[in-house]
Amino acid sequence: KQEVTQIPAALSVPEGENLVLNCSFTDSAIYNLQWFRQDPGKGLTSLLLIQSSQREQTSGRLNASLDKSSGRSTLYIAASQPGDSATYLCAVHSGGGADGLTFGKGTHLIIQP
Amino acid sequence: NAGVTQTPKFQVLKTGQSMTLQCAQDMNHEYMSWYRQDPGMGLRLIHYSVGAGITDQGEVPNGYNVSRSTTEDFPLRLLSAAPSQTSVYFCASMTSGGIYEQYFGPGTRLTVT
């Protein structure tokens, strides 16, 4: 059974810092990995999707990497801003359908102004 | 595109009452899912559907029913509400064809007293 772990569970950094959020998974046979952002009381917003054949994806100040063989992904946030404060969730798609997604429990990020 | 929509946003039920959480998507996705999110437990799959007329159970299906009569709609029914069903419920739809990118609705916060 796929297990997804996100470290750290919480992180507080001053504005402007570059930071890395980590996601690890136990079964390397995956279709893709998706990073989400969740603001308090809101739904999940997709940030980046990395297919199993890709090594990284970039969107603005965000860069996600995938090392399938070691079961790891990182989300790099450059020049952090207070508006980046949210919970970041990693989800791994292992199966071939709607039941194949396994979520980590998230990293709660606070960017101090 | 409205994406994935859910109603209601908030609901309070008494133990034993029944209700239906509505979910609709306008992206013509075949795959749809229902999750519940609880503190410390992460997101857990309740039921999912791979197309109109086809549904299946996820990790925590007890106490819930679903049906899928159209591609657009995927309602979740609570048969006899229990305090253990107090949670935030998210509906999601997913692209198919090997990409499997998931899109979430804004959620329904349900309290059962």
Side-chain angles (χ1 to χ4, degrees):
Chain A
K1 179 184 174 187
Q2 181 74 266
E3 293 181 2
V4 179
T5 303
Q6 291 188 246
I7 293 173
L11 182 63
S12 180
V13 300
E15 179 179 5
E17 283 200 7
N18 302 325
L19 53 97
V20 173
L21 307 182
N22 296 294
C23 172
S24 62
F25 47 96
T26 54
D27 186 349
S28 62
I30 67 171
Y31 280 84
N32 63 41
L33 185 145
Q34 196 167 354
W35 282 94
F36 294 90
R37 169 188 173 134
Q38 186 175 27
D39 294 289
K42 303 291 185 183
L44 281 69
T45 300
S46 180
L47 297 173
L48 290 164
L49 173 73
I50 312 176
Q51 298 295 341
S52 62
S53 58
Q54 297 174 321
R55 296 299 298 264
E56 65 178 342
Q57 282 285 343
T58 298
S59 176
R61 293 181 295 108
L62 304 179
N63 176 275
S65 68
L66 175 64
D67 185 342
K68 210 171 63 162
S69 61
S70 68
R72 293 184 180 182
S73 176
T74 61
L75 179 67
Y76 176 82
I77 303 176
S80 58
Q81 303 170 357
D84 295 330
S85 298
T87 296
Y88 291 80
L89 292 151
C90 160
V92 173
H93 197 282
S94 305
D99 62 331
L101 221 63
T102 305
F103 286 83
K105 293 184 179 178
T107 294
H108 181 55
L109 176 64
I110 297 175
I111 307 298
Q112 307 154 10
Chain B
N1 278 358
V4 181
T5 58
Q6 291 183 239
T7 56
K9 289 188 177 179
F10 303 94
Q11 183 71 49
V12 179
L13 290 178
K14 293 188 188 314
T15 297
Q17 287 184 319
S18 63
M19 79 158 295
T20 299
L21 279 61
Q22 301 292 343
C23 174
Q25 54 95 6
D26 61 0
M27 296 174 282
N28 202 33
H29 291 164
E30 292 297 326
Y31 293 169
M32 295 186 74
S33 307
W34 276 102
Y35 295 88
R36 59 178 289 173
Q37 185 177 41
D38 302 289
M41 303 291 291
L43 280 147
R44 293 182 291 170
L45 183 65
I46 305 171
H47 284 285
Y48 65 98
S49 170
V50 298
I54 307 170
T55 64
D56 207 341
Q57 297 180 352
E59 181 183 355
V60 288
N62 292 343
Y64 307 95
N65 266 359
V66 291
S67 60
R68 184 103 178 266
S69 57
T70 67
T71 299
E72 294 78 20
D73 300 301
F74 190 41
L76 177 72
R77 281 183 289 279
L78 278 70
L79 308 173
S80 177
S84 62
Q85 293 178 305
T86 293
S87 186
V88 181
Y89 291 85
F90 290 102
C91 178
S93 72
M94 187 166 66
T95 60
S96 54
I99 303 298
Y100 304 123
E101 184 169 11
Q102 195 149 39
Y103 296 83
F104 280 80
T108 294
R109 186 173 295 273
L110 175 68
T111 302
V112 183
T113 61

